[in-house]
Amino acid sequence: MSALASSLTFQQLKGDGVLAPIHQAFGETVQRLDAVANSDVVLAAVLCSEQLARGHVCLDLSDAHSIVFPTLETDSRIRQYNNWPKEAEWADKLQNSPLVTVADAETDQHSISTPLVLDAVRSRLYLARYWYFEQKLATNIAERLKQEPIRIDELQLQHEIARLFPDRENIGSRDQCLAVGNSVDRWFSIITGGPGTGKTTTVARLLALRLSQHLAAGNDPAELKILLMAPTGKAAQRLNESLSRATQLLTVNAQVHEALRQVSAGTIHRLLGWTPRPPERGGPFRHRTEVPLEVDIVLVDEASMVDLALMCRLFDAIPKSAQVILIGDRDQLASVEAGGVFSDLCGTLIGDTLDRLDDSRRAVIAQRTGLQSARTSLAESLSLESRSTRQIEEPLRNKKTSRRKQKANPNQMTLFGGDDKASESDTEPVAINWENSVTRESLAVSTDVLTESVATLNYSHRFSAESSLGQLAAAIREGRADDAVTLLRDADPSEIQWLDGSGKEDSSVDVVIAQAVDGYRGYLEQLGRKPIGSKEVLQAAAQVRVLTAHHSGLRGEAILNQRIADRMMADGLLNSYAGDQLGRLVMVTRNNYRLDLFNGDVGVVAKVDHDSISSNSSGRGRVVIFEDGNEDSGVRRVPAALVPGVRDCFAMTIHRSQGSEFRQVLLVLPEHDSPVLSRELLYTAVTRVKEFRDAAGGAALPGFLSIAGSESVLRGAITRCNHRVSGLREGVEDHARLRPNDNP
């Protein structure tokens, strides 16, 4: 009997239907590579492959029995298997296997010839390919962190910051000012913030400062090569539009302003020069270490959506002489492929940006921005961190705790995510001798290299923290299910409506469909009386969206779209022509660079003439109108026959909605608890709601959120945090602590 077949644990896993055929096949392949391989080694290889499919970079041996198989919950307890390997014995067997390389930060990344790699100190097992990606990215980031800061004219910078942030004492502008002040001279930095916190505004001002510095040095700002990137075409388009609006509001030198206007965003794949050629023939990207990008500043928006492999290849193509800035929201959904790079690099953040700096750096940034720290005492910070950690049951994975073995609770899933913000308390202004304070040493990063490189934006302009939506978003983000349920029950029905579908006669989805049809009536009425190409039609269509967790199923995107369309036709809002249905709200499903259309673009099917909707049922003369900030009208018309594959967009998955905003979000939860439905997914859906202000700038018009779903499903989502296991953050810190000549 083979070692694979002799493993009782493996047999139980197969019997429970946990392992997909591809993972079973991988185990058989590993067995063939070593006919005498220990069954526990093969089991570890299979579990490692399974973890990768779930988005994890590696298998944590210490927690394998509790976090690998969330589908095996019985009575809220994780099933325990007979003969489950003991961690220490498991690690010893792996270390002694010819299929495994035991590696650390000093191991040559190119010397690995085994299919598996073990980090024995932290009890993590990798597939060799992903250990290579992680280590290469960690090394690259660490090298950037160890470089001396970018040379800055401090007095000129201080003057420009004061001009760009005249209201920096206000809470909303303060975070942005600190983010700019801390990131402007770092070769690698991160700016993270929730929806509506002004990330694009911050980026525009940061770029303006870098261009102004370039001009002050006697150079033409247009010569500074800036690349803006996003993981998807839609995200790149949104970045272009947002940056254009933010640039128009800046009071800067004319040359700087023109240089900013010339900056445009593209997809990572496009800018790296994706090619179908295999690696041995120079693929999959034209730009890499041997052929780097010609660039001075690289800014990556929606960085949380970038997986480990792509991020590694991106950094590989960026020269060390270029500044790299990652922008995103660490609390939103991670990448589709393996790795949670952005959240890993952000780590656990306490307090605001200034609070996390060492004393010398804090003094410099305070002088640079004119802002002082609202720092709590060290004891308060430690107490808060401990309290936050206990509340959300998240083991801190920093340089002090990463080598400590965590004892897994066999009866309880490990929860990850969320953080509490430190309370602010006033402090005395820091007395600084400016001439003596700005030194190369004071500008350099401290031992905690990553924490100091992260700037946070906390104040949301989309909805206030005190609003029902703000409180609900915070409760979900922090994993407080009881508070979220209470908020939903007690919420103002004009802002939040919870359609609890716990009863036998669940009509919650019917109510949502009725709400959707009523909401979409506005843009269809606009379409009937406005000229073709009217931006008002698209703005009205973007006010409402039905969001769901799944594509298929009774509460999935496909069925919901069909039900909404059927109801709209029954009400006479849509005609019955199926192909180019007049008034149809559609989403582009694949990129078309020639037409400048991207996967995720949303448009409305319209007629070439200006007749009313009901007057024509033929498919001829149809166009799809899309929003376009480059056109004077704000829209462009594309013949329907030329538009790449489309599908209805009355309802869309939450994944698809990331980066969008709507005044009314109608959220449909699955009938039963689902591994897909996580805290991050729910948080992303809720934060798509945006408050709007009227044209006169009066009182805010509150957004509206409707949730259809049972309490049990809601609680399951809030308590399920999809923390992705990796060693990236520890890897960066390990490489950063190596002396320059110690780098592998």
Side-chain angles (χ1 to χ4, degrees):
M1 183 178 296
S2 71
L4 185 62
S6 67
S7 170
L8 179 59
T9 301
F10 182 76
Q11 292 296 337
Q12 290 177 324
L13 294 180
K14 288 203 300 183
D16 284 329
V18 174
L19 300 178
I22 189 172
H23 307 308
Q24 297 182 40
F26 177 71
E28 297 287 358
T29 300
V30 171
Q31 177 62 31
R32 286 194 296 271
L33 292 175
D34 183 10
V36 296
N38 184 279
S39 61
D40 290 342
V41 173
V42 180
L43 175 64
V46 172
L47 298 184
C48 191
S49 177
E50 172 75 13
Q51 280 284 73
L52 188 66
R54 297 173 184 268
H56 304 284
V57 176
C58 56
L59 171 70
D60 189 338
L61 298 179
S62 65
D63 284 336
H65 66 293
S66 63
I67 67 174
V68 175
F69 308 113
T71 59
L72 299 181
E73 293 180 89
T74 303
D75 298 326
S76 301
R77 299 169 69 91
I78 302 299
R79 176 173 171 182
Q80 298 298 291
Y81 289 90
N82 296 327
N83 300 337
W84 190 271
K86 304 294 184 191
E87 180 187 343
E89 298 174 359
W90 207 357
D92 288 339
K93 291 174 182 178
L94 288 168
Q95 292 185 58
N96 294 323
S97 172
L99 303 174
V100 180
T101 297
V102 181
D104 56 27
E106 301 187 55
T107 302
D108 185 357
Q109 300 159 7
H110 302 278
S111 66
I112 304 299
S113 58
T114 59
L116 300 169
V117 177
L118 176 67
D119 179 347
V121 174
R122 299 183 175 100
S123 296
R124 293 174 182 154
L125 184 68
Y126 296 78
L127 296 184
R129 175 182 175 89
Y130 284 86
W131 181 87
Y132 171 81
F133 285 145
E134 185 175 277
Q135 290 300 309
K136 193 171 186 180
L137 179 59
T139 302
N140 195 306
I141 293 175
E143 289 175 352
R144 297 176 190 276
L145 290 169
K146 290 192 290 186
Q147 293 180 149
E148 289 197 347
I150 299 168
R151 294 190 177 276
I152 294 291
D153 183 335
E154 291 290 344
L155 293 179
Q156 194 267 351
L157 179 64
Q158 187 179 5
H159 172 75
E160 289 294 327
I161 287 178
R163 188 150 63 97
L164 288 171
F165 295 93
D167 58 343
R168 59 190 178 277
E169 293 291 346
N170 295 335
I171 183 171
S173 185
R174 172 188 168 85
D175 287 348
Q176 298 176 16
C177 183
L178 289 175
V180 166
N182 191 50
S183 304
V184 67
D185 62 341
R186 294 185 183 271
W187 292 106
F188 173 78
S189 61
I190 294 172
I191 299 175
T192 179
T197 52
K199 293 187 288 291
T200 305
T201 301
T202 304
V203 166
R205 294 175 178 179
L206 176 59
L207 294 178
L209 287 174
R210 286 300 318 277
L211 290 166
S212 297
Q213 286 279 312
H214 202 64
L215 178 63
N219 303 310
D220 183 357
E223 296 175 351
L224 198 66
K225 299 181 178 65
I226 301 172
L227 283 182
L228 305 185
M229 301 182 179
T232 66
K234 185 62 178 176
Q237 184 184 42
R238 292 193 189 104
L239 178 58
N240 279 326
E241 295 169 353
S242 300
L243 187 62
S244 177
R245 289 193 297 268
T247 300
Q248 293 175 7
L249 301 176
L250 294 180
T251 304
V252 292
N253 177 278
Q255 287 180 274
V256 172
H257 194 274
E258 181 59 27
L260 270 175
R261 287 186 65 253
Q262 299 304 317
V263 176
S264 63
T267 65
I268 297 174
H269 284 80
R270 193 177 189 183
L271 293 174
L272 289 184
W274 181 87
T275 169
R277 292 193 296 270
E280 57 270 18
R281 295 182 57 192
F285 297 102
R286 180 166 62 87
H287 291 291
R288 52 194 184 279
T289 302
E290 299 80 10
V291 190
L293 293 163
E294 295 183 6
V295 64
D296 298 305
I297 302 173
V298 173
L299 191 144
V300 185
D301 195 28
E302 297 289 355
S304 64
M305 301 170 63
V306 185
D307 60 86
L308 174 64
L310 183 57
M311 191 72 82
C312 176
R313 289 183 167 119
L314 172 60
F315 272 75
D316 195 35
I318 302 173
K320 298 297 192 301
S321 58
Q323 183 180 19
V324 181
I325 306 161
L326 304 183
I327 312 293
D329 183 356
R330 69 191 183 106
D331 295 311
Q332 287 192 32
L333 293 167
S335 59
V336 175
E337 301 297 329
V341 175
F342 191 76
S343 61
D344 283 349
L345 294 176
C346 289
T348 301
L349 302 175
I350 302 294
D352 69 8
T353 303
L354 210 57
D355 295 340
R356 294 191 295 274
L357 305 178
D358 65 18
D359 291 340
S360 59
R361 178 76 180 183
R362 189 183 310 112
V364 170
I365 303 304
Q367 183 71 23
R368 183 180 286 176
T369 62
L371 297 169
Q372 304 298 332
S373 176
R375 192 186 192 193
T376 58
S377 69
L378 179 60
E380 291 174 322
S381 296
L382 292 175
S383 174
L384 176 63
E385 187 170 5
S386 175
R387 189 165 62 250
S388 176
T389 301
R390 289 195 304 270
Q391 178 183 349
I392 63 178
E393 301 175 37
E394 178 183 25
L396 293 179
R397 300 177 181 271
N398 55 32
K399 59 185 175 65
K400 295 181 179 180
T401 62
S402 60
R403 298 176 184 271
R404 187 185 307 150
K405 297 291 189 294
Q406 302 290 332
K407 293 184 178 180
N409 184 349
N411 300 321
Q412 190 175 31
M413 289 278 296
T414 303
L415 303 179
F416 303 87
D419 67 284
D420 292 336
K421 302 294 186 294
S423 59
E424 296 188 350
S425 60
D426 295 331
T427 61
E428 294 295 324
V430 180
I432 307 172
N433 183 328
W434 180 244
E435 294 182 355
N436 296 331
S437 65
V438 182
T439 64
R440 304 304 291 176
E441 291 75 17
S442 65
L443 291 172
V445 297
S446 70
T447 305
D448 194 359
V449 289
L450 276 174
T451 298
E452 286 209 342
S453 299
V454 181
T456 51
L457 307 179
N458 297 311
Y459 182 81
S460 177
H461 300 271
R462 184 171 295 184
F463 44 76
S464 67
E466 295 76 23
S467 67
S468 298
L469 283 167
Q471 294 182 60
L472 178 61
I476 294 171
R477 185 183 65 245
E478 297 163 10
R480 296 184 280 112
D482 289 342
D483 290 347
V485 170
T486 300
L487 284 165
L488 286 171
R489 286 172 176 164
D490 299 338
D492 184 345
S494 65
E495 294 185 30
I496 300 177
Q497 182 180 23
W498 181 22
L499 306 170
D500 190 350
S502 302
K504 295 182 179 180
E505 300 291 331
D506 183 9
S507 61
S508 60
V509 178
D510 296 331
V511 175
V512 167
I513 290 173
Q515 291 174 330
V517 172
D518 187 60
Y520 290 132
R521 191 183 302 272
Y523 90 84
L524 291 168
E525 292 174 350
Q526 292 274 8
L527 186 63
R529 62 175 182 261
K530 295 286 185 180
I532 297 300
S534 174
K535 191 174 181 179
E536 287 85 349
V537 172
L538 294 173
Q539 290 176 334
Q543 294 288 303
V544 184
R545 197 71 80 245
V546 177
L547 302 182
T548 181
H550 297 99
H551 174 69
S552 57
L554 292 176
R555 297 191 174 197
E557 174 190 43
I559 297 270
L560 288 173
N561 269 312
Q562 187 61 58
R563 291 186 64 181
I564 294 170
D566 289 345
R567 177 70 178 270
M568 293 172 76
M569 285 189 288
D571 290 356
L573 298 174
L574 294 176
N575 60 53
S576 58
Y577 187 80
D580 295 307
Q581 197 172 43
L582 192 59
R584 186 182 174 199
L585 188 64
V586 297
M587 175 184 289
V588 177
T589 58
R590 61 177 183 268
N591 295 337
N592 187 316
Y593 294 110
R594 183 174 61 86
L595 295 174
D596 204 28
L597 291 176
F598 302 100
N599 187 0
D601 283 351
V602 176
V604 175
V605 178
K607 285 176 34 181
V608 174
D609 60 68
H610 300 170
D611 295 340
S612 66
I613 298 175
S614 60
S615 67
N616 191 319
S617 62
S618 76
R620 293 176 293 180
R622 297 288 195 266
V623 295
V624 184
I625 58 174
F626 296 95
E627 208 167 339
D628 190 344
N630 296 322
E631 298 288 339
D632 293 337
S633 63
V635 302
R636 60 195 174 100
R637 298 179 292 174
V638 182
L642 299 181
V643 179
V646 297
R647 63 174 180 238
D648 286 339
C649 192
F650 303 112
M652 63 194 302
T653 62
I654 300 171
H655 282 85
R656 286 276 191 178
S657 73
Q658 195 163 357
S660 300
E661 55 190 34
F662 315 98
R663 195 176 75 83
Q664 297 182 58
V665 169
L666 312 176
L667 175 60
V668 178
L669 300 180
E671 286 184 282
H672 308 289
D673 196 19
S674 167
V676 174
L677 190 61
S678 64
R679 182 185 307 171
E680 294 86 357
L681 196 76
L682 192 60
Y683 171 79
T684 301
V686 168
T687 55
R688 297 311 91 203
V689 184
K690 180 182 179 180
E691 293 179 346
F692 283 80
R693 295 184 179 274
D694 58 31
L701 302 173
F704 177 74
L705 172 68
S706 181
I707 301 178
S710 67
E711 181 177 338
S712 62
V713 171
L714 187 69
R715 287 181 176 275
I718 296 174
T719 56
R720 180 181 297 106
C721 186
N722 286 338
H723 172 84
R724 294 192 170 180
V725 182
S726 84
L728 179 61
R729 184 175 182 85
E730 293 94 330
V732 173
E733 293 177 348
D734 288 346
H735 287 291
R737 286 193 291 270
L738 294 173
R739 296 185 301 275
N741 60 356
D742 289 336
N743 287 328

